[in-house]
């Protein structure tokens, strides 16, 4: 597979990337599986990792669910002792798909507590899911990547990054509010990792509640 790369950190190329980050893109109607758009991200991430996996990096699958998503039965995992989730987190669903595609499960890390794209990146970075500071390729659809690379990654990541495009039969744009929301969530975050995570999570939750009241039901 040929990968279309969108530039992030100046001068970084795919040949220098060690890790792959897959942000969530929604769960199916059961709350246990993935939307087609999320599954497409997983397929590209698997192909990309087969190319760069010899560098010993990780695939980080990031996402629980959006605050507006109430689907799914109670779900838990031995990896999160004492926690009960509403449905299966996107991260765990993506990880299962990657393992089914032949990726070594020891190389796939689920980040299962983030609730939007900003917290995807903040938690993946600050909770140590990559394991080292080497560069990362962020896998997503084009419009989402433009927002990540322009607004979120410069404020959320502490490593070099670039984007890898997930092809779409028809490219889907994003609602104009999404970039504004991401900027509000990601701006002027504390340098301390724990405070940055809690601040971003709180801002995202508040903005989601406002968007929900205004009738918006999806936000990626």
């Amino acid at each position: 597979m040929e990968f279309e790369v969108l530039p992030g950190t100046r001068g970084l190329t795919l040949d220098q990337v060690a890790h792959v980050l897959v942000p969530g893109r929604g769960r199916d109607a059961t709350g246990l599986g993935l939307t087609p758009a999320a599954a497409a991200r997983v397929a590209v991430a698997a192909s990309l990792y087969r190319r760069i996996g010899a560098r010993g990096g990780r695939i980080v699958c990031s996402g629980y669910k959006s605050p507006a998503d109430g689907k799914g039965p109670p779900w838990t995992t031995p990896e999160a002792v004492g926690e009960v989730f509403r449905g299966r987190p996107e991260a765990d669903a993506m990880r299962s798909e990657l393992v089914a595609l032949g990726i070594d499960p020891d190389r796939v890390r689920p980040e299962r507590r983030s609730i939007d794209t900003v917290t995807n990146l903040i938690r993946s970075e600050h909770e140590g899911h990559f394991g080292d500071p080497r560069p990362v390729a962020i896998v997503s659809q084009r419009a989402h990547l433009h927002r990540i690379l322009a607004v979120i990654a410069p404020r959320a990541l502490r490593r070099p990054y670039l984007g890898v495009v997930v092809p779409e039969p028809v490219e889907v744009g994003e609602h104009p509010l999404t970039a504004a929301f991401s900027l509000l969530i990601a701006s002027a975050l504390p340098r301390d990792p724990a405070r940055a995570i809690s601040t971003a999570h709180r801002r995202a939750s508040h903005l989601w509640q406002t968007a929900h009241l205004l009738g918006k039901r999806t936000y990626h």
Side-chain angles (χ1 to χ4, degrees), residues 77-88:
T77 170
E79 296 179 6
V81 177
E83 287 192 78
V84 178
F85 299 87
R86 182 69 178 267
R88 182 165 59 165

Side-chain angles (χ1 to χ4, degrees), residues 47-105:
S47 295
L48 176 60
Y49 193 74
R50 292 188 190 103
R51 171 171 165 177
I52 70 172
R55 297 170 198 157
R58 295 174 177 174
I59 304 180
V60 178
C61 302
S62 180
Y64 174 16
K65 64 181 184 64
S66 77
D69 179 355
K71 304 185 296 289
W75 187 92
T76 190
T77 170
E79 296 179 6
V81 177
E83 287 192 78
V84 178
F85 299 87
R86 182 69 178 267
R88 182 165 59 165
E90 295 171 303
D92 291 281
M94 291 190 288
R95 184 188 191 191
S96 292
E97 291 292 326
L98 285 165
V99 172
L101 290 169
I103 303 299
D104 180 352

